[in-house]
């Protein structure tokens, strides 16, 4: 094994650093900074140079943006601004990736020996090198090629979240809950931020070249930001998609400020609402077996600075989850959330992290896959209320709530769960309305 890795290194493959990471992980049990231990014996100069590049990039601060800046910059797009946007993405992403590679190098040895964690480290090294070496973009043709390049990397990274979640769940007994959760938060916020920049740039380029982005459905948008996102419509869409699928799903009653519109990333809002409604429907259906489930109430309030959405269910509360405080459901540590180490959860994560599609991010994609799964599900499988309601084919990987929390807080919003055990749960999602908050500090 060692020989074959050396051979790969001599060939000058971009994998060299990650291979080192893995070899070192196997051979240097005392060494917390894995890349160092092998540097005396393998491609010293190359490695030294790569590490130096990593340090240089990691030493730079991320150039964080607000939602409003993303909209203003993208609003009046011309060739010059598009090229500027491309070069910003080209130089900003390696800085953000470098921060997270540094973070991963500081992980305890036992954590980085997890195959899935090493896999993510490898993906990030490769991406870092590709961005670092990508030549400046000068023309629209260059930009078209750059967008292709971005789309490929976005696809290649589709399994990052389930892989990290699996690796860290397995490593969770060796990690303090605070350390694990703050590491995971940095990884996820940073990943969202990179994908936002990449996807926004691709969308701006498509609009500039006259193509319509498939997700826009004619609604006003600048890149991936929908400037008049209607909250009621978003809740209705998610509720309808969920109710189409389940035979006994509760109805969703929407009240409050029904005309509320604001500028936001539609995909983030839809993902969050979809996950929150799915949890509420699942709990309500399970808590009222054999009876018509009581409705879920979604209340929208447009305040001066924020849009709030409360989702109230009568699903019996959160006592059955075994967590001490509801926010422990956001945790990736098994100490806070014992479900992390359940066999079914680990099995589902293995399935998703080895799937070529990884985790589908958008509601439309998720639902599309559910329908495919449903089509192959045998008829008449009435084993439990969830199967009956048509949920079971979707692997429960335990990512929905933590990801919703990260999406909510990325631009300074919040997500809070309030449980009334024996009755139900209220979830409060608050999102800033003015778009003036910077992205999370962890990018
Ligand atoms: C990710 O999805 O993990 C990324 O970092 C994507 C980015 C490099 C475009």
């Amino acid at each position: 094994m060692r020989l074959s890795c050396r051979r790969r290194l001599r060939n000058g493959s971009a994998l060299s650093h990650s291979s080192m990471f893995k070899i070192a992980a196997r051979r240097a049990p005392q060494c917390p900074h894995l890349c160092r231990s092998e540097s005396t014996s393998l491609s010293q100069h190359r490695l030294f140079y790569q590490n130096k590049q990593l340090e240089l990039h990691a030493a730079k601060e991320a150039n964080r943006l607000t939602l409003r800046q993303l909209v203003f910059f993208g609003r009046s797009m011309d060739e010059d601004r598009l090229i500027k946007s491309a070069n910003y993405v080209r130089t900003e992403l390696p800085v953000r990736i470098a921060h997270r590679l540094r973070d991963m190098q500081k992980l305890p040895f036992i954590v980085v020996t997890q195959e899935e964690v090493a896999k993510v480290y490898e993906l990030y090294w490769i991406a870092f090198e590709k961005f670092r070496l990508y030549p400046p973009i000068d023309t629209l043709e260059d930009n078209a090629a750059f967008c292709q390049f971005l789309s490929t990397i976005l696809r290649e990274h589709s399994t990052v979240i389930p892989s990290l979640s699996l690796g860290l769940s397995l490593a969770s007994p060796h990690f303090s809950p605070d350390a694990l959760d703050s590491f995971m938060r940095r990884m996820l916020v940073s990943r969202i931020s990179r994908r936002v920049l990449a996807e926004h740039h691709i969308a701006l380029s498509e609009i500039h070249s006259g193509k319509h982005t498939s997700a826009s459905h004619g609604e006003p948008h600048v890149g991936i930001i929908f400037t008049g996102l209607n909250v009621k419509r978003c809740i209705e869409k998610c509720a309808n998609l969920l109710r189409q699928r389940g035979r006994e799903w509760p109805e969703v009653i929407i009240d409050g400020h029904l005309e509320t519109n604001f500028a936001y990333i539609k995909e983030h809002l839809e993902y969050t609402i979809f996950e929150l409604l799915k949890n509420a429907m699942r709990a309500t259906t399970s808590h009222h077996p054999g009876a018509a489930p009581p409705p879920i109430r979604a209340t929208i309030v447009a305040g001066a600075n924020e849009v709030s959405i409360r989702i109230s269910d009568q699903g019996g509360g959160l006592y059955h989850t075994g967590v001490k405080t509801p926010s422990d459901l956001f945790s990736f540590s098994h100490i806070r959330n014992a479900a992390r180490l359940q066999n079914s959860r680990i099995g589902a994560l293995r399935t998703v992290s080895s799937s070529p599609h990884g985790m589908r991010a958008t509601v439309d994609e998720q639902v599309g896959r559910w329908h495919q799964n449903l089509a192959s599900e045998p008829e008449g499988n009435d084993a439990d209320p969830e199967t009956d309601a048509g949920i079971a084919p979707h692997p429960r990987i335990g990512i929905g709530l933590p990801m919703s929390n990260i999406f909510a807080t990325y631009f300074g919003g919040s997500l809070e769960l309030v449980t009334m055990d024996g009755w139900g749960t209220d979830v409060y999602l608050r999102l800033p309305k003015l778009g003036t908050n910077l992205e999370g500090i962890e990018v």
Side-chain angles (χ1 to χ4, degrees), residues 93 97 124 127 131 153-154 157 160 191 194-195 198:
L93 291 195
I97 296 174
Y124 283 163
F131 276 106
I153 295 203
L154 285 166
H157 284 224
V160 160
R191 180 178 191 264
R194 293 189 304 267
R195 291 183 85 88

Side-chain angles (χ1 to χ4, degrees), residues 89 93 97 120 123-124 127-128 131 149-151 153-161 187 190-199:
V89 173
L93 291 195
I97 296 174
V120 173
L123 275 174
Y124 283 163
F128 171 71
F131 276 106
F149 163 79
L150 286 178
S151 301
I153 295 203
L154 285 166
R155 241 188 344 268
E156 285 169 356
H157 284 224
S158 64
T159 57
V160 160
I161 294 179
M187 293 300 287
S190 179
R191 180 178 191 264
I192 289 178
S193 80
R194 293 189 304 267
R195 291 183 85 88
V196 163
L197 295 186
E199 286 168 356

